[in-house]
Amino acid sequence: MFNTRVTQLLGIQYPIIQGGMAWVATHELAAAVSEAGGLGIIAAGNAPGDFVRNEIRALKKKTDKPFGVNIMLLSPFVEDVVDIVCQEGVPVVTTGAGNPGKYLDRFREKGIKVIPVVPSVALAKRLEKQGVDAFIVEGTEAGGHIGELTTMALVPQVCDAVDLPVIAAGGIADGRGFIAALALGAEGVQVGTRFVCSTEAKVHSSYKDALINAKDRDAIVTGRTTGHPVRVIKNQFTREFLEMEKNGASVEELEAAGAGKLRLAVVDGDIDNGSVMSGQIAGMIKDIKSCRDIIEGMVQEALTSNERINQLSGGGLDG
């Protein structure tokens, strides 16, 4: 059941990809996920090229397993990061916040697999024609920057529209979500928020506590008026930000208010005044585990869920 086109494409044991979360997805986390059989991802975010190079080299000292780098295409350092990814022999690139088309030839020359994050059928169809290798189809349940369609609605529509492997993202934290994504037609899952609460994530303990203590309705959306909505845990910062939006603050004013707030939460641990990005599944997280325990737990729970489907219907996902 777990031997899919995604595991074959990436050379990994389980079709579980770690999300490329800025300030969270460091080499420590990525290496741990890769060692546990998934695909670890280093987040380039808005970091300069030299920082990304150092992260790649540090990861290689911890694991010889496949890994990837997430490139945010709106980063001011994107050209440098693309150069470094090509120079350092990174096997997989995931992309967000744009179309990676202009870089595809360079990635192909280096044998790099390219998997863009897509929030719509239209973008998936366009990128398939441009020659990407797979898609991460992300629903609005995800943390951080989000689209509008839910994972359950978006994933099967993209699966029906393209021939490439689809990796479902947004609202997946355990084996039940894993098996549900496979049932929707995906051949793998991307997991973000659950990995924040791992022992290997170099995140301030207060940030992890905020996720563990979150309830089902605590992950809200800010920034809709800017055209770049973000899902975060509600706190003093979100109350002030939403009030600014309500009072008609300009995009520039809102961007200035949000500048540096993710780092404030992740690194400094200020969970009242920082941006605590999180998916809607935060209410499901009750503990901090190693990446290996998280992945193996997801796999075992997916198998158990499939057995239950077999009992109820006379045949699970594998017949």
Side-chain angles (χ1 to χ4, degrees):
M1 182 170 64
F2 302 120
N3 181 22
T4 71
R5 287 189 295 171
V6 170
T7 57
Q8 295 164 17
L9 175 71
L10 304 178
I12 56 180
Q13 183 177 4
Y14 303 117
I16 299 173
I17 287 82
Q18 167 233 314
M21 302 164 284
W23 292 107
V24 175
T26 63
H27 73 272
E28 293 96 342
L29 177 59
V33 171
S34 290
E35 277 291 298
L39 185 77
I41 301 287
I42 293 170
N46 282 320
D50 286 344
F51 176 86
V52 178
R53 188 193 301 277
N54 290 337
E55 284 288 289
I56 293 168
R57 292 181 176 179
L59 179 145
K60 289 179 177 179
K61 292 179 180 179
K62 289 180 172 290
T63 184
D64 59 359
K65 302 289 180 62
F67 70 97
V69 171
N70 175 261
I71 301 177
M72 194 185 75
L73 298 169
L74 292 179
S75 166
F77 303 105
V78 63
E79 298 293 338
D80 289 343
V81 171
V82 169
D83 287 342
I84 285 165
V85 162
C86 292
Q87 293 164 9
E88 294 293 325
V90 173
V92 182
V93 161
T94 64
T95 66
N99 185 330
K102 65 182 289 188
Y103 305 111
L104 289 180
D105 287 342
R106 294 175 61 190
F107 290 143
R108 286 193 201 98
E109 289 174 2
K110 297 296 183 178
I112 298 172
K113 303 293 188 301
V114 182
I115 308 177
V117 176
V118 298
S120 70
V121 171
L123 182 57
K125 291 171 72 173
R126 185 158 67 247
L127 289 171
E128 183 177 38
K129 294 177 181 177
Q130 294 179 8
V132 301
D133 295 283
F135 299 106
I136 296 168
V137 177
E138 186 173 80
T140 193
E141 300 94 324
H145 291 89
I146 56 170
E148 291 295 331
L149 294 174
T150 66
T151 302
M152 180 163 281
L154 180 59
V155 168
Q157 292 184 67
V158 175
C159 289
D160 288 347
V162 300
D163 293 324
L164 295 175
V166 166
I167 298 159
I172 300 168
D174 62 9
R176 294 170 296 179
F178 189 2
I179 203 76
L182 298 181
L184 293 174
E187 297 183 53
V189 294
Q190 177 176 277
V191 176
T193 304
R194 171 68 266 203
F195 282 129
V196 177
C197 289
S198 65
T199 54
E200 295 90 351
K202 300 304 178 182
V203 172
H204 198 285
S205 60
S206 294
Y207 195 108
K208 296 182 182 182
D209 289 342
L211 300 187
I212 290 173
N213 293 326
K215 296 181 174 58
D216 57 342
R217 298 180 66 183
D218 284 347
I220 63 173
V221 178
T222 62
R224 290 196 186 279
T225 60
T226 70
H228 302 288
V230 179
R231 189 176 299 283
V232 292
I233 297 296
K234 60 185 179 183
N235 59 9
Q236 181 62 32
F237 166 65
T238 64
R239 287 189 286 274
E240 294 173 356
F241 195 94
L242 290 171
E243 188 66 23
M244 289 179 66
E245 287 194 89
K246 180 181 177 182
N247 292 332
S250 68
V251 172
E252 291 76 17
E253 289 173 324
L254 292 169
E255 289 179 346
K261 291 299 193 293
L262 179 59
R263 185 188 189 285
L264 185 64
V266 174
V267 178
D268 298 336
D270 188 343
I271 59 171
D272 294 320
N273 301 297
S275 179
V276 184
M277 292 187 182
S278 168
Q280 287 184 316
I281 55 84
M284 295 168 59
I285 300 174
K286 305 301 181 187
D287 53 19
I288 297 171
K289 297 180 179 179
S290 70
C291 290
R292 184 172 296 279
D293 284 344
I294 290 171
I295 289 175
E296 291 181 353
M298 286 183 67
V299 169
Q300 185 55 53
E301 189 171 24
L303 291 171
T304 301
S305 296
N306 193 51
E307 289 174 4
R308 183 168 183 270
I309 293 170
N310 271 311
Q311 293 169 358
L312 292 173
S313 65
L317 292 183
D318 54 358

